[in-house]
Amino acid sequence: MADIKLTQLSHGGGCGCKIAPAVLQSILAGARDRTPFPDLLVGAETSDDAAVYRLNDQQAIVATTDFFMPIVDDARDFGRIAATNALSDIYAMGATPIMALAIVGMPVNTLPLETIRAILAGGESVCMEAGIPLAGGHSIDAPEPIYGLVALGVVHPDQLKRNSAAREGDVLILGKPLGIGILAQAMKKGLLDDAGYRALIDVTTRLNRVGSELARLDGVHALTDVTGFGLLGHLLELCRGASLGARLDMAALPVIAAARAFAEQGIGPGAIERNLQSFADALDVAPGLADWQIRLLADPQTSGGLLASVAPSLAEEVLSRFHAAGFAEAAVVGRLTAGAARVAVS
């Protein structure tokens, strides 16, 4: 039992096991109308990262949940990645986390108890790093390992950062490099070396806590985090919410160095194709771009970076804050434009 690989116990892993965007849209059709609760500041209507409910003029509570199946075989690393990913939704709203609850589904007759304990310990270590308690949760006996968090945070209503408040002319800043799904697939195929694995863990366990800091800047108009739908999918959500288009500079996109070679070989999870099929009608690709570059835009990012829509005059300060917070790869990757909700890539 000690030789059991977590990724072999599940049919998918990380944010790559999200329901395909087109399928999810069909499931939720008609269910996104805003409910008649005036203090519900953010619901499901714009596919934002978390729900937000105003308690009073000074406080709003931010609530989210995120869980998935293993993306790596190391139990503690799986727990760390899942917890980091869940807390990212709080930071993406500009909020500060205050508490978390664990979501646990485990094949208890297959996995050793020490492995399950290690998964939970990994998640708890991330909550400790974030300065919040992991205050309980719920567990079930499940056929595949599942772990994640319910995360709660607080934000001043005036500092809330929706994914729908971007403005024409804003620059787009991406906080983490792309390629997480590609590296995870390479690992499953036995192709990822130790350096590549360390890069995967480094990116996926970096807390996006800089989002709470960015919330205090008026020129940061919108925030979201890049996860299972890839940069393309989450950028389109931002565009649709603001009724704007976007242009991406392919050469400016940060990419995990170890992932580029695998991407060029066509290695990547099946979720890339599902994402591209869902968003193909809203994508304009300049001549000369390689197929692997377009696939990279749809690579599902587990615990990916924040995507900020920022007034041009504030871009250097926002970049500086990303870099000071430990996101050395953060870069300006594009701009928002007038027009239909489409993404042009050159």
Side-chain angles (χ1 to χ4, degrees):
M1 294 182 73
D3 294 331
I4 292 175
K5 292 184 180 296
L6 288 176
T7 55
Q8 293 179 352
L9 294 178
S10 58
H11 72 280
C15 289
C17 58
K18 291 177 75 168
I19 294 175
V23 176
L24 184 61
Q25 188 174 16
S26 296
I27 293 172
L28 297 178
R32 293 186 181 273
D33 294 337
R34 192 178 182 92
T35 54
F37 296 96
D39 288 318
L40 181 64
L41 303 181
V42 179
E45 58 278 354
T46 60
S47 302
D48 218 324
D49 297 291
V52 183
Y53 192 90
R54 180 172 48 209
L55 299 176
N56 52 55
D57 290 343
Q58 303 296 317
Q59 295 174 309
I61 190 164
V62 180
T64 185
T65 182
D66 213 315
F67 54 90
F68 46 62
M69 293 166 284
I71 186 174
V72 294
D73 292 316
D74 183 273
R76 187 177 178 86
D77 284 345
F78 169 41
R80 292 171 64 209
I81 294 168
T84 306
N85 178 75
L87 291 177
S88 183
D89 286 341
I90 299 294
Y91 296 124
M93 304 303 296
T96 300
I98 57 171
M99 186 177 71
L101 305 172
I103 299 170
V104 182
M106 296 291 159
V108 293
N109 293 324
T110 302
L111 278 180
L113 294 183
E114 57 266 27
T115 299
I116 299 174
R117 291 192 194 104
I119 294 170
L120 271 59
E124 186 173 10
S125 72
V126 167
C127 290
M128 290 293 290
E129 182 183 351
I132 63 170
L134 184 53
H138 185 68
S139 62
I140 62 169
D141 185 354
E144 297 178 302
I146 297 170
Y147 181 70
L149 300 179
V150 173
L152 300 176
V154 292
V155 67
H156 192 292
D158 294 342
Q159 294 180 352
L160 173 64
K161 300 299 179 182
R162 297 172 173 86
N163 71 349
S164 59
R167 301 181 187 178
E168 181 184 348
D170 279 359
V171 297
L172 296 166
I173 297 177
L174 179 62
K176 289 185 182 181
L178 302 176
I180 294 167
I182 291 167
L183 287 184
Q185 186 65 18
M187 187 200 70
K188 284 187 177 182
K189 292 179 176 290
L191 301 174
L192 193 64
D193 60 16
D194 289 344
Y197 183 78
R198 288 194 300 271
L200 172 64
I201 299 303
D202 170 63
V203 173
T204 55
T205 59
R206 240 185 282 171
L207 283 167
N208 281 324
R209 55 178 33 157
V210 68
S212 303
E213 182 180 338
L214 297 179
R216 297 190 289 271
L217 302 177
D218 290 339
V220 177
H221 297 139
L223 280 177
T224 191
D225 64 344
V226 179
T227 56
F229 298 156
L231 174 60
L232 175 60
H234 293 286
L235 175 54
L236 275 170
E237 287 178 342
L238 188 149
C239 289
R240 289 166 181 158
S243 298
L244 294 170
R247 292 188 176 277
L248 285 177
D249 178 0
M250 195 74 213
L253 290 177
V255 181
I256 303 172
R260 176 167 177 147
F262 293 122
E264 290 175 344
Q265 297 170 41
I267 293 172
I272 289 178
E273 279 68 36
R274 294 198 300 272
N275 286 341
L276 282 176
Q277 289 172 5
S278 296
F279 305 128
D281 290 344
L283 177 64
D284 299 316
V285 179
L289 290 180
D291 180 67
W292 71 266
Q293 293 176 302
I294 305 308
R295 285 169 51 82
L296 186 66
L297 297 176
D299 182 41
Q301 304 301 287
T302 299
S303 191
L306 293 180
L307 180 64
S309 177
V310 178
S313 61
L314 200 65
E316 287 302 319
E317 181 176 351
V318 171
L319 269 180
S320 177
R321 292 187 183 232
F322 267 111
H323 295 160
F327 299 92
E329 308 94 335
V332 174
V333 299
R335 183 178 295 270
L336 290 172
T337 62
R342 302 182 63 83
V343 175
V345 187
S346 59

